[in-house]
Amino acid sequence: MKKTRPDKVVARKQKAVSAGAVSPGRSSIPERDRKLNFGDKWAYAPAPESHDYIPVAPRHELFINGTFVPPARGDYFPSVNPATEGKLTEIARGGTGDVDRAVKAARAAFKNVWGTMPGCERGKYLYRIARIIQERSRELAILETMDGGKPIKETRDIDLPLVAAHFFYHAGWADKLEYALPGRDPKPIGVVGQIIPWNFPLLMAAWKSAPALACGNTVVIKPSKTTSLTLLRLAEIFQEAGLPNGVVNVVTGTGDTGTAIVQHPDVDKIAFTGSTEIGRELARLTAGTRKRLTLELGGKAANIVFEDAAIDQAIEGVVAGIYFNQGHVCCAGSRLLVQESIYPRVVKRLRDRIQTLRVGNPLDKNTDIGAINNPAQLEKIREMVACGVAEGGGLVQTNCVLPKKGYWFPPTFLTGVTPAHRVAQEEIFGPVLAVMTFRTPEEAIERANNTPYGLSAGVWTEKGSKIFKMVSQLRAGVVWANTFNKFDPTSPFGGYKESGFGREGGLQGLQAYLR
Ligand code: NAD
Ligand code: MN
């Protein structure tokens, strides 16, 4: 086993900073930043987003047929803020009976209103929803951060603008579907069941519901147990927009609630985003039924950095690719493949760069890395990192001081990883990067493709021809070139192999919701 010396790195860094640091405003530097040794260059005063003006009811009900109703069994579970472990509210646990009520409401709305409404009328509702999302975006961003743990910087500047963009984009398609599939007279499928994870709660709800609605389907949607709040606010927005009753129904709950949706005989299609394990289970459950299924599952994306790349730009992309949203991203660039000649340089810069990432209160506007969404996920990350070290990886972590309460993991990378290591093969879903080397483009392609997944990849080179060569041979649904984790509602997203099937977004995404 290689010796892991994160302490060594840290010690050098501390010396360098304290030697040159002049500290006039020491008292204004938060203790955390001082301990991080950012010095005056990096220290910011705390800038927490205030949230007390946003009411959060102590209890949240199900949203069925246009109104909020208690669950039949009267069962609720707590939803906590992962940055404080404080209870935010109680969420209704939907059971089989509740799912049945929701599906009946969706079926009636499909038959009587939504499925027969002209596309241009449906489009008006979607535009209205998009505009209200924009108006309430600050509130939604704050709640997303409090419920899920991701930094306000991201929810405010990335999630919410994309949520609104998805509704705007699909509003535009609603009356143009015959141009999307020319000569095929496209029709809605009917009632769709949608099951989403906790990493992008509201964005996944938008990705799933906006195209379904634009195409004339009605929806029964279930958020993840740990992040139900913002989807329930979106339900309020549906009310505010006057969306007819039953067109979207939100059934909160656990895995059992999801199973009840999947097994309901009157659901025509299932769209799922989450773990590969549950995806497999849903494929089994729907096999031999008339239900359609699309799955968006895990990933183990490679960021491939060639020796001719703009290194600083590449480092920024690699950092954004893995530490964005604490690495809770299915298309995260969780493997770094560096051309051998620049390996020492890249590792040194990466080590210096992650030291400047701020970990802490997700509501602080300067925070780069928020809380891990839930304790089970934190446990999984710890276990995988321990495994990576046991397999011989060199551990590099920042020396940041983690808050005492809440679920946290520092930005981490493992050097000297080989393709056979578990950390090179399995999804970690945390702020942990596995660093490997390659010599030739052929070897890079072989290594990048050597996982059971195929969701995304990144290529960093100044040479356009190399980009084209790589893109044509990488088995991944999305390949970014000299950038990473860029999303747009007009471009389709989805995977190869165990990353799932079907596409979301763009013209291709509409097909999943049309007959
Ligand atoms: P999960 O697959 O367990 O849950 C995703 C959604 O499916 C949730 O809403 C959950 O309640 C529901 N669900 C769970 N069991 C179900 C069942 N038997 N039938 C129907 N629905 C069911 O994922 P998770 O618990 O949120 O996270 C576990 C792992 O999944 C993570 O460690 C991560 O590796 C991966 N993950 C992937 C993505 C992604 O976007 N690809 C997102 C989140 C998590
Ligand atoms: Mn929560």
Side-chain angles (χ1 to χ4, degrees), residues 46-80:
E49 179 80 37
S50 57
H51 58 87
D52 0 333
Y53 66 98
I54 299 168
V56 178
R59 180 170 264 195
H60 283 76
E61 310 292 3
L62 308 168
F63 182 69
I64 296 176
N65 205 23
T67 49
F68 288 93
V69 293
R73 289 184 312 205
D75 198 2
Y76 296 83
F77 58 87
S79 189
V80 305

Side-chain angles (χ1 to χ4, degrees), residues 270-480:
I270 297 292
F272 172 83
T273 297
S275 60
T276 300
E277 186 197 343
I278 304 294
R280 272 204 199 99
E281 161 106 23
L282 300 197
R284 264 197 307 276
L285 284 176
T286 52
T289 71
R290 58 177 185 84
K291 281 183 191 128
R292 297 188 184 203
L293 176 69
T294 45
L295 299 174
E296 205 264 273
L297 309 173
K300 193 73 192 174
N303 243 323
I304 304 164
V305 182
F306 285 97
E307 59 191 3
D308 63 14
I311 300 291
D312 288 332
Q313 200 185 323
I315 294 285
E316 287 311 302
V318 167
V319 165
I322 183 64
Y323 303 118
F324 170 54
N325 193 16
Q326 297 76 245
H328 297 337
V329 184
C330 46
C331 56
S334 53
R335 290 180 297 156
L336 171 60
L337 300 182
V338 190
Q339 199 155 17
E340 213 170 66
S341 55
I342 54 166
Y343 179 74
R345 211 161 28 119
V346 167
V347 167
K348 187 190 173 302
R349 292 218 195 164
L350 192 59
R351 172 179 281 172
D352 291 346
R353 177 64 178 89
I354 68 172
Q355 195 60 34
T356 67
L357 295 171
R358 291 182 165 68
V359 185
N361 182 6
L363 278 173
D364 192 305
K365 290 159 205 137
N366 297 322
T367 291
D368 299 303
I369 315 267
I372 301 302
N373 180 268
N374 59 76
Q377 190 61 35
L378 179 57
E379 203 37 56
K380 185 179 165 198
I381 298 167
R382 284 184 177 146
E383 190 232 314
M384 286 298 288
V385 170
C387 170
V389 171
E391 285 174 320
L395 179 74
V396 181
Q397 285 183 318
T398 67
N399 64 328
C400 56
V401 179
L402 300 177
K404 287 193 187 69
K405 278 275 189 184
Y407 318 124
W408 308 94
F409 201 86
T412 299
F413 66 88
L414 291 157
T415 57
V417 173
T418 75
H421 289 174
R422 253 183 88 198
V423 287
Q425 291 290 328
E426 293 178 27
E427 191 177 44
I428 301 176
F429 226 65
V432 181
L433 177 68
V435 187
M436 286 168 267
T437 58
F438 70 89
R439 289 197 184 125
T440 60
E442 292 68 32
E443 197 186 4
I445 289 163
E446 193 203 310
R447 290 203 159 185
N449 287 340
N450 179 18
T451 74
Y453 296 110
L455 194 54
S456 62
V459 179
W460 299 84
T461 169
E462 293 285 81
K463 251 190 129 170
S465 58
K466 221 186 260 172
I467 293 175
F468 284 115
K469 180 186 160 107
M470 298 299 289
V471 167
S472 63
Q473 292 181 57
L474 286 167
R475 297 195 63 208
V478 183
V479 183
W480 285 288

Side-chain angles (χ1 to χ4, degrees), residues 31-55:
E31 188 193 20
R32 182 198 55 175
D33 280 8
R34 228 180 303 142
K35 288 202 185 130
L36 276 168
N37 278 294
F38 284 143
D40 294 333
K41 193 162 141 205
W42 296 109
Y44 296 162
E49 179 80 37
S50 57
H51 58 87
D52 0 333
Y53 66 98
I54 299 168

Side-chain angles (χ1 to χ4, degrees), residues 79-82 88 146-148 226-227:
S79 189
V80 305
N81 179 340
L88 281 172
M146 289 171 68
D147 203 14
T226 58
T227 51

